Amino acid sequence: MCGIVGYIGDQQAESILLTGLKRLEYRGYDSAGLAIVGDDGLVVEKRKGKVDELRSAVNGQPLRGTLGVGHTRWATHGPPTDENAHPHTSVTGEFALVHNGIIENHGVIRQRLSEKGYTFESDTDTEVLVHLIDDIRAETDLSLEEAIRQALTQVVGTYGIAVVSSVNDKLIAARKGSPLILGIGDGEYFIGSDAAPLVEHTRQVVYLSDGEIVTVSRSGYEVKTVENVPLEKEVHELEWDLGEIEKSGYDHFMLKEIMEQPTSLSDSMRGRLLPEDPRVVLGGLHTVWDQLVDADRIIIAACGTSWHSALVGEYLIESFARIPVEVEYASEFRYRNPILRDGDVVVVISQSGETADTLAAVREARKKGVLCLGICNVVGSTIARETDAGVYLHAGPEIGVASTKAFTAQVTVLAMIALKLAENRTLSTGEMAHNLHALASIPDKVDEVLDMNDEIREMASVYRYASNFLYLGRGYNFPVALEGALKLKEISYIHAEGYPAAEMKHGPIALIDRFMPVVFIAMKDSTYDKVVSNIEEVVARDGSVIAITDEGNGELDKLCEYVLRIPKTEEFLSPLLTVVPLQLLSYHIAVMRGCHVDQPRNLAKSVTVE
Ligand code: AGP
């Protein structure tokens, strides 16, 4: 949720940390802060607001020192204020700590410490951890590292923390529930909540797992468990390069990522989709494929946009593989004590691979002994490392908080899984070849849809003042209606709802009047005639209709304000095309409303707390 960065080496830490925080800002942008150890001892600067505000605050008086930590915040406990910003400093001023996560038992500890005379400058749960370490130091002669370990055994909740102090010239970091990566440079070391602040400095990384603490000095690092057991950790090579996490000339990461979809889709198919053979190769599932083929039931758990792709996955796998599929909100699945039996397979979908509720669904499935597979974008993410097997999207870094190219890559991977399951099951070789060729032609068709960008921008200018929107679709495009509504909500702050088109008559139709734009996905597929009747029902109540349909279809012109005609494709692949105009519509409306498209208010790219 929050972003943490740390540095120890020969270079001045301030600019490395500020640049790192800027790259992590999609994880939270309520406040930002630095703690740097130099000749003047430990110096802390923190501000409410974005990293740029912190940068201008320290510009006047740079913080000198080659050891430091930084933090960008997504507020959980206490509003975005200077006081609640991280780092939080010990009463002695000896050390400073940044934290990503939630200390659930902060109330009890705060009470105990207050009775011992500790006072608190902030409302945060994090400051409680700082003073708990203080107290252990005061009561014992333990080193800072040992006091931190002891304190961490007393807290309940999740944490990714990094600590620097003016006395031991070390960078100490630990994780439980929140991601943390150590970057190994040439005589220097970096800590990051994800790879974004590390890529420009090193490709050599160590992924910390839950319950691990790393102590980094100028000459090396040591990883131990919080129970003080030394560990040998594997060093991994980062895949992404710096260019991929830059805007490359686009105004926003979201627009860049929408426009990248022909490439990201080709990358997610490369080496996997072999229409000529015809077959699908999913190396990451090779060891468990037979279990998937023989599955009695597949349960897909996810959150947000990933949950929408899971719904498309349900349609795909049930219609092609005839295996029953259930789609679950991960946050509900984990607490519902789900009934999982032999023969069940749990699949989780997560772009970031760090979403707390989805990670908990993985642990629930594993606890119950059923096979758990992952579909993730971030290589080396916690969910990717904790699932039994899985498929990477290969969509490249997704920085914009509103997920776009990850959605289409997720649907593509689900389509490949469904088609592979259908091979010699429900599909003949000829049908297999036909469907694989159809999938292979999608990147070019998405390119054609992207050529409608200007037309969609013009349409957006008409609807930018709307205060409500309704999105309606049937079958494979019902989840796309949900996704379109979510995109508009999260970046333009317009209230929008998505529904199965038929469901409209059971309530939402009451909302229809001439001020209610209604977006219909009306591709000429098995549901087309029914969708047209729904359009007529809305028009009969003066609703303003935008329809997405096949190129060459003029039947809707008389009924609709706007008709967007997109290339034809197979019905099961249409979500990969129909979602793109909805991504662009929400993008342009948000830009015209002056919203911060890449960092919408109150949101963050990966939700690592419950
Ligand atoms: C989508 O635009 C949002 N950023 C959000 O709903 C997101 O899809 C959700 O938090 C799940 O994230 P994940 O795929 O990284 O697990």
Side-chain angles (χ1 to χ4, degrees):
M1 207 89 203
C2 304
I4 285 177
V5 64
Y7 175 75
I8 182 166
D10 301 333
Q11 302 183 62
Q12 284 301 309
E14 183 193 278
S15 66
I16 291 174
L17 297 174
L18 283 170
T19 308
L21 286 179
K22 194 75 191 150
R23 296 210 185 284
L24 286 173
E25 203 163 31
Y26 64 143
R27 302 179 65 90
Y29 23 89
D30 291 325
S31 64
L34 295 174
I36 292 185
V37 178
D39 305 343
D40 313 329
L42 176 68
V43 180
V44 171
E45 278 294 343
K46 54 185 184 173
R47 290 285 181 289
K48 173 180 178 313
K50 306 240 165 141
V51 174
D52 288 344
E53 276 138 73
L54 176 66
R55 191 188 290 277
S56 32
V58 296
N59 257 350
Q61 201 155 13
L63 309 183
R64 308 263 332 138
T66 58
L67 167 63
V69 291
H71 184 270
T72 179
R73 183 174 186 234
W74 190 87
T76 57
H77 294 74
T81 62
D82 291 358
E83 293 72 31
N84 289 337
H86 299 206
H88 291 282
T89 313
S90 65
V91 279
T92 58
E94 178 209 333
F95 69 86
L97 179 147
V98 292
H99 170 225
N100 171 25
I102 292 181
I103 308 292
E104 288 165 17
N105 61 340
H106 69 97
V108 180
I109 301 173
R110 180 188 287 266
Q111 180 64 31
R112 199 175 74 225
L113 292 170
S114 304
E115 284 157 11
K116 293 184 84 171
Y118 284 88
T119 56
F120 293 81
E121 291 173 4
S122 78
D123 318 304
T124 66
D125 52 327
T126 305
E127 193 185 1
V128 168
L129 175 57
V130 171
H131 296 329
L132 178 60
I133 298 166
D134 266 334
D135 189 49
I136 293 167
R137 301 269 285 152
E139 300 287 331
T140 69
D141 57 3
L142 291 175
S143 71
L144 178 60
E145 183 207 345
E146 285 156 354
I148 291 171
R149 266 191 304 101
Q150 203 177 93
L152 294 177
T153 59
Q154 295 180 27
V155 297
V156 176
T158 59
Y159 58 80
I161 62 165
V163 182
V164 288
S165 102
S166 54
V167 291
N168 68 1
D169 198 33
K170 288 183 180 156
L171 172 58
I172 300 169
R175 75 154 282 176
K176 179 171 166 276
S178 302
L180 265 186
I181 306 177
L182 169 71
I184 304 164
D186 186 5
E188 54 187 1
Y189 298 92
F190 308 82
I191 289 280
S193 292
D194 62 40
L198 308 181
V199 179
E200 65 198 280
H201 303 290
T202 178
R203 291 178 164 285
Q204 308 299 308
V205 297
V206 169
Y207 296 100
L208 289 190
S209 299
D210 279 359
E212 293 178 359
I213 181 165
V214 61
T215 301
V216 191
S217 67
R218 293 179 189 282
S219 56
Y221 64 92
E222 188 181 17
V223 182
K224 291 180 180 175
T225 66
V226 169
E227 291 72 30
N228 209 17
V229 179
L231 295 169
E232 277 308 312
K233 295 287 288 182
E234 193 186 339
V235 177
H236 296 261
E237 175 96 8
L238 278 179
E239 278 195 5
W240 294 342
D241 62 39
L242 190 55
E244 292 182 276
I245 57 173
E246 303 281 0
K247 277 191 204 140
S248 315
Y250 286 96
D251 291 343
H252 299 98
F253 281 108
M254 184 180 179
L255 184 61
K256 175 195 175 203
E257 288 150 11
I258 293 172
M259 292 302 179
E260 273 178 345
Q261 289 178 105
T263 310
S264 56
L265 289 170
S266 303
D267 291 347
S268 66
M269 298 174 192
R270 184 166 297 108
R272 295 166 166 175
L273 193 66
L274 310 173
E276 305 314 327
D277 292 14
R279 65 195 170 99
V280 172
V281 178
L282 295 168
L285 296 177
H286 183 64
T287 54
V288 296
W289 191 251
D290 295 345
Q291 283 173 270
L292 200 50
V293 169
D294 300 336
D296 299 331
R297 179 174 63 150
I298 295 175
I299 297 132
I300 312 180
C303 303
T305 286
S306 297
W307 185 78
H308 293 152
S309 70
L311 287 174
V312 180
E314 178 179 30
Y315 285 84
L316 287 163
I317 294 171
E318 289 201 343
S319 68
F320 279 107
R322 307 309 292 152
I323 299 174
V325 175
E326 290 170 19
V327 174
E328 301 276 353
Y329 279 116
S331 55
E332 289 300 314
F333 177 76
R334 61 173 303 180
Y335 284 118
R336 214 184 65 238
N337 188 15
I339 302 165
L340 297 178
R341 290 185 285 265
D342 285 352
D344 285 342
V345 174
V346 171
V347 175
V348 299
I349 305 178
S350 174
Q351 185 288 128
S352 62
E354 300 294 353
T355 301
D357 287 317
T358 309
L359 179 57
V362 171
R363 292 173 177 166
E364 183 69 20
R366 304 209 64 188
K367 194 174 74 190
K368 293 209 158 100
V370 301
L371 179 68
C372 186
L373 310 177
I375 297 176
C376 295
N377 193 35
V378 177
V379 174
S381 57
T382 308
I383 289 174
R385 285 182 286 122
E386 294 203 10
T387 40
D388 298 301
V391 183
Y392 281 125
L393 298 182
H394 295 316
E398 189 177 68
I399 310 288
V401 168
S403 185
T404 52
K405 65 176 181 175
F407 174 77
T408 49
Q410 287 161 352
V411 171
T412 298
V413 165
L414 289 160
M416 290 194 283
I417 291 173
L419 291 169
K420 187 174 173 62
L421 284 170
E423 195 176 5
N424 308 325
R425 190 183 188 126
T426 59
L427 291 180
S428 67
T429 307
E431 290 163 331
M432 191 67 175
H434 172 81
N435 289 329
L436 296 190
H437 279 293
L439 182 51
S441 71
I442 288 290
D444 290 344
K445 292 187 177 184
V446 169
D447 228 355
E448 287 177 52
V449 179
L450 293 171
D451 291 342
M452 301 166 70
N453 187 28
D454 295 344
E455 182 186 346
I456 295 168
R457 184 189 305 115
E458 200 197 304
M459 190 178 83
S461 65
V462 174
Y463 293 101
R464 68 183 188 271
Y465 299 117
S467 35
N468 296 286
F469 255 81
L470 210 52
Y471 290 76
L472 301 172
R474 283 177 179 255
Y476 281 99
N477 284 298
F478 153 52
V480 176
L482 294 176
E483 179 57 11
L486 177 63
K487 287 286 97 68
L488 190 71
K489 269 184 278 208
E490 65 179 322
I491 61 171
S492 75
Y493 318 142
I494 294 174
H495 175 240
E497 292 190 69
Y499 276 93
E503 202 47 33
M504 178 188 59
K505 289 193 286 298
H506 306 285
I509 196 167
L511 299 169
I512 305 290
D513 61 19
R514 60 192 175 82
F515 302 109
M516 172 64 88
V518 184
V519 178
F520 274 94
I521 299 140
M523 298 302 281
K524 296 202 90 172
D525 58 26
S526 61
T527 67
Y528 179 69
D529 296 339
K530 303 292 181 221
V531 174
V532 173
S533 316
N534 297 136
I535 292 177
E536 285 160 345
E537 288 151 9
V538 169
V539 172
R541 285 143 184 96
D542 235 1
S544 158
V545 174
I546 299 164
I548 297 174
T549 190
D550 297 43
E551 60 197 356
N553 177 17
E555 295 165 12
L556 303 174
D557 292 18
K558 288 202 180 54
L559 285 171
C560 305
E561 300 283 326
Y562 280 89
V563 178
L564 295 173
R565 278 169 268 267
I566 64 175
K568 292 182 196 314
T569 185
E570 298 296 323
E571 181 167 353
F572 76 94
L573 294 173
S574 59
L576 292 168
L577 301 182
T578 56
V579 75
V580 177
L582 305 186
Q583 295 168 342
L584 287 168
L585 178 65
S586 62
Y587 171 78
H588 288 302
I589 288 178
V591 170
M592 291 170 188
R593 290 166 72 100
C595 302
H596 197 309
V597 169
D598 282 340
Q599 296 171 355
R601 69 186 186 200
N602 305 341
L603 286 177
K605 184 63 184 170
S606 86
V607 182
T608 54
V609 295
E610 280 189 58

